[in-house]
Amino acid sequence: MNEIRTLMEKFWICRDSDKETFYKVKRDIPNFQRFIREQLGWKLIHTEKLLKLEKKPAHAEAFMGISEFTDIRDYCILCVVLMYLEDAEEGRQFLLSELIDYVETQLKNYMPVDWTSFTQRKSLVRVLQYMERLQMIRVYEGKSESFSQEAGQEVLYENTGYSKYFTSSFTTDISGYESFRDFEKTDFEEVQENRGARRINRVYRQLAVCPALYWDSAEDADALYLKNQRQWVGRYLRENMGGNLDIYRNAAFLTLDADDCYGTVHPRDAQISESVLIVCSEIQRQLAEGKLKLQEDESIVMTIQALSGIIINCRNKWKNAWSKEYCEMDEERLVETVLKYMTDWMMVRCEEEWIIVLPAVGRLAGQYPSDYKGDGEE
């Protein structure tokens, strides 16, 4: 179980940098390979130098993406650098100036490129540092960070060869795709002849990599499969990944015991988790008092202003218990921070000026000790 968890947590495992983990996981592959192939429908890459589990989700979610990246430009530059490395031999050394010229040539027809701009230089540096962290490139002389401070700084890199395993391969032409929905649509159409297997993969993937699996009606195909096969789904997940399968009227969750966690979890020891638990508690209180109304799919619809008010009031009431950073944070940034966290954890969904509060909010709540007096209490 620990070995498949390692593959879930890491983007990949390189023999050069972590030989012990590499061989430990590789030896255990026969024990979980069937689960990966049949239940998850994922591809496991294992070469002499690298192990990678291609964790393809059932659906694109808000929290997915590269956490270090802050702009669409970062992803565009990453794609171009991957193209550059694709044409370079493994072990080949190259200069940053060579790479910059290539990036500029490839991108200039799609977006403006100006290396005198600190913002654009910083974007390239984020990409290079991300690729260094994943060992797709290795620095021999200089530092990538220096380019963000001043254009013209030189760095010598080596192509490790790992970059060719970074992207997934596709059986169809994707050059005409315009959004992530095109990928999901194609993925479904390719297996029309085997809808049952695709449904199984979709359910397991959602439970394995996402905070929640939701459905709108009792006739939802994924929900019907999950409810009918709940015993087997729970068993396969527990035996291979750990945790417990919890199924509710319109949602399902894979939950971990407090002493047996892995990956990124909620709640965790951080002020943002604590703050969100208090917000969830307040939403539950207002629902119980009839101030909020539960929809048929067990969600709650409210305006962004209403949720903002709840977040700000919680901070004002319990200001003495919150960290200095969150106490001094301006209201707009506080709401933005809490809302992003709740969106990433599939607790809320934004739809224009409306906020859809999802069933996950009803599962966890936080409260301070009964003898603790918040800033807003007498």
Side-chain angles (χ1 to χ4, degrees):
M1 185 190 301
N2 289 333
E3 283 64 40
I4 192 173
R5 287 181 172 188
T6 302
L7 284 169
M8 292 291 294
E9 288 183 298
K10 296 178 179 291
F11 185 82
W12 53 31
I13 304 169
C14 301
R15 188 189 66 182
D16 293 345
S17 59
D18 196 350
K19 186 177 295 186
E20 182 179 349
T21 302
F22 177 87
Y23 284 111
K24 185 178 180 182
V25 173
K26 193 167 186 176
R27 284 193 299 267
D28 198 52
I29 287 176
N31 294 327
F32 56 76
Q33 192 166 29
R34 184 176 179 181
F35 173 73
I36 289 174
R37 182 178 63 251
E38 297 183 4
Q39 272 70 46
L40 293 168
W42 283 341
K43 182 180 179 181
L44 177 61
I45 298 172
H46 50 102
T47 70
E48 293 181 355
K49 294 184 177 181
L50 177 140
L51 296 173
K52 180 192 177 186
L53 182 60
E54 290 195 339
K55 297 174 280 289
K56 189 176 182 181
H59 306 285
E61 303 292 350
F63 67 90
M64 296 175 182
I66 300 173
S67 60
E68 292 96 326
F69 288 6
T70 59
D71 192 271
I72 293 177
R73 179 182 297 273
D74 298 357
Y75 291 94
C76 296
I77 292 176
L78 172 63
C79 291
V80 175
V81 177
L82 288 170
M83 290 166 56
Y84 179 85
L85 295 177
E86 183 73 21
D87 295 331
E89 294 181 3
E90 182 177 336
R92 177 181 177 272
Q93 294 185 349
F94 59 93
L95 294 170
L96 176 58
S97 56
E98 300 173 21
L99 179 62
I100 288 173
D101 290 342
Y102 182 87
V103 171
E104 182 174 351
T105 300
Q106 297 295 326
L107 282 185
K108 64 183 181 181
N109 293 328
Y110 304 96
M111 60 177 61
V113 180
D114 179 12
W115 300 124
T116 64
S117 164
F118 173 78
T119 301
Q120 294 196 23
R121 295 201 308 274
K122 192 64 178 176
S123 183
L124 175 63
V125 168
R126 282 194 294 268
V127 172
L128 293 173
Q129 291 181 328
Y130 171 72
M131 299 183 81
E132 288 175 43
R133 182 171 68 79
L134 288 186
Q135 301 174 65
M136 288 186 276
I137 57 176
R138 185 177 294 123
V139 176
Y140 261 80
E141 293 180 15
K143 293 182 178 180
S144 299
E145 176 63 29
S146 61
F147 181 70
S148 65
Q149 304 303 321
E150 182 182 356
Q153 293 293 311
E154 198 62 278
V155 184
L156 179 63
Y157 298 100
E158 177 188 314
N159 176 23
T160 64
Y162 291 138
S163 62
K164 61 186 176 184
Y165 300 106
F166 181 83
T167 57
S168 298
S169 58
F170 298 95
T171 57
T172 56
D173 181 10
I174 64 172
S175 59
Y177 285 12
E178 297 180 353
S179 79
F180 65 88
R181 291 186 177 86
D182 292 327
F183 289 93
E184 294 182 358
K185 182 180 178 182
T186 300
D187 198 22
F188 175 74
E189 289 177 343
E190 287 179 350
V191 289
Q192 285 286 337
E193 72 281 359
N194 196 359
R195 293 187 181 184
R198 185 65 185 95
R199 184 179 303 121
I200 292 171
N201 294 161
R202 197 162 52 229
V203 168
Y204 277 92
R205 288 180 188 181
Q206 188 74 11
L207 291 169
V209 302
C210 294
L213 167 61
Y214 296 122
W215 52 89
D216 296 327
S217 72
E219 301 305 314
D220 181 89
D222 292 359
L224 288 172
Y225 167 78
L226 181 61
K227 291 177 179 179
N228 291 334
Q229 302 295 325
R230 61 190 305 164
Q231 182 178 350
W232 288 105
V233 174
R235 175 183 171 183
Y236 285 140
L237 288 170
R238 184 170 58 254
E239 291 178 348
N240 289 277
M241 299 179 61
N244 302 299
L245 175 63
D246 298 329
I247 301 178
Y248 297 84
R249 180 182 173 185
N250 288 86
F253 309 87
L254 179 63
T255 58
L256 301 171
D257 295 331
D259 58 350
D260 188 34
C261 292
Y262 64 99
T264 303
V265 298
H266 169 79
R268 61 182 186 271
D269 187 17
Q271 179 60 62
I272 183 63
S273 291
E274 182 178 315
S275 301
V276 168
L277 287 174
I278 296 300
V279 170
C280 290
S281 180
E282 177 60 20
I283 292 174
Q284 292 175 27
R285 184 185 69 81
Q286 292 193 19
L287 180 65
E289 294 178 355
K291 296 179 181 178
L292 296 173
K293 182 180 178 181
L294 202 64
Q295 305 296 310
E296 289 186 9
D297 62 357
E298 296 196 322
S299 67
I300 301 170
V301 180
M302 65 172 67
T303 63
I304 179 65
Q305 292 80 10
L307 182 58
S308 298
I310 290 176
I311 294 170
I312 293 168
N313 288 337
C314 285
R315 196 264 298 271
N316 292 341
K317 181 177 181 180
W318 302 106
K319 205 168 185 178
N320 291 342
W322 289 24
S323 68
K324 180 180 179 181
E325 177 189 4
Y326 279 75
C327 284
E328 298 179 352
M329 193 178 292
D330 66 74
E331 292 184 353
E332 184 177 351
R333 187 182 168 209
L334 174 67
V335 171
E336 181 181 330
T337 301
V338 173
L339 189 57
K340 182 182 185 308
Y341 185 93
M342 295 182 74
T343 302
D344 287 349
W345 279 97
M346 298 177 69
M347 298 178 185
V348 300
R349 184 176 68 246
C350 301
E351 293 185 359
E352 297 179 354
E353 73 273 16
W354 297 99
I355 296 294
I356 312 301
V357 180
L358 300 169
V361 168
R363 296 190 66 244
L364 292 173
Q367 63 181 25
Y368 293 107
S370 58
D371 59 349
Y372 181 84
K373 298 298 181 181
D375 190 62
E377 295 187 331
E378 298 294 334

